[in-house]
Amino acid sequence: MNVPVGPLTGPLKKYQRIIDEIIAEWGIGRKEEFRREGIIAIHRAIDNLCTTISGALHDAYIEWSIREHFRSLLPQND
């Protein structure tokens, strides 16, 4: 998948706030790296998203996708 590099634009800009909130909530120190990874997660989620999902559910799925992608990048505490 070819993911655009750079800040989110257009209707995707609203997801930057979610990325930043998750980074702050989780206390992630590598902010720029995770901002880029958040953008990747958003584009992957959109590619996988079913067109029948409504707006609110769409946003919830995007946020869940960002969190899951970030979890895959962080060390696991078992």
Side-chain angles (χ1 to χ4, degrees):
M1 173 175 70
N2 188 12
V3 176
V5 177
L8 295 168
T9 59
L12 299 180
K13 287 170 87 171
K14 66 182 176 183
Y15 298 120
Q16 187 63 54
R17 181 184 53 78
I18 294 171
I19 292 170
D20 292 338
E21 285 176 1
I22 295 169
I23 290 170
E25 176 185 331
W26 290 7
I28 297 171
R30 303 180 324 251
K31 291 180 179 154
E32 290 308 313
E33 174 187 353
F34 275 81
R35 283 184 179 121
R36 284 190 303 275
E37 291 295 336
I39 291 169
I40 290 169
I42 288 166
H43 286 286
R44 281 188 183 144
I46 289 169
D47 283 348
N48 294 328
L49 207 53
C50 177
T51 58
T52 59
I53 293 178
S54 69
L57 189 53
H58 180 273
D59 290 346
Y61 178 77
I62 295 291
E63 181 174 349
W64 176 84
S65 296
I66 296 166
R67 289 177 182 277
E68 287 301 305
H69 185 67
F70 283 3
R71 277 189 190 100
S72 75
L73 297 170
L74 294 171
Q76 300 298 313
N77 295 330
D78 292 334

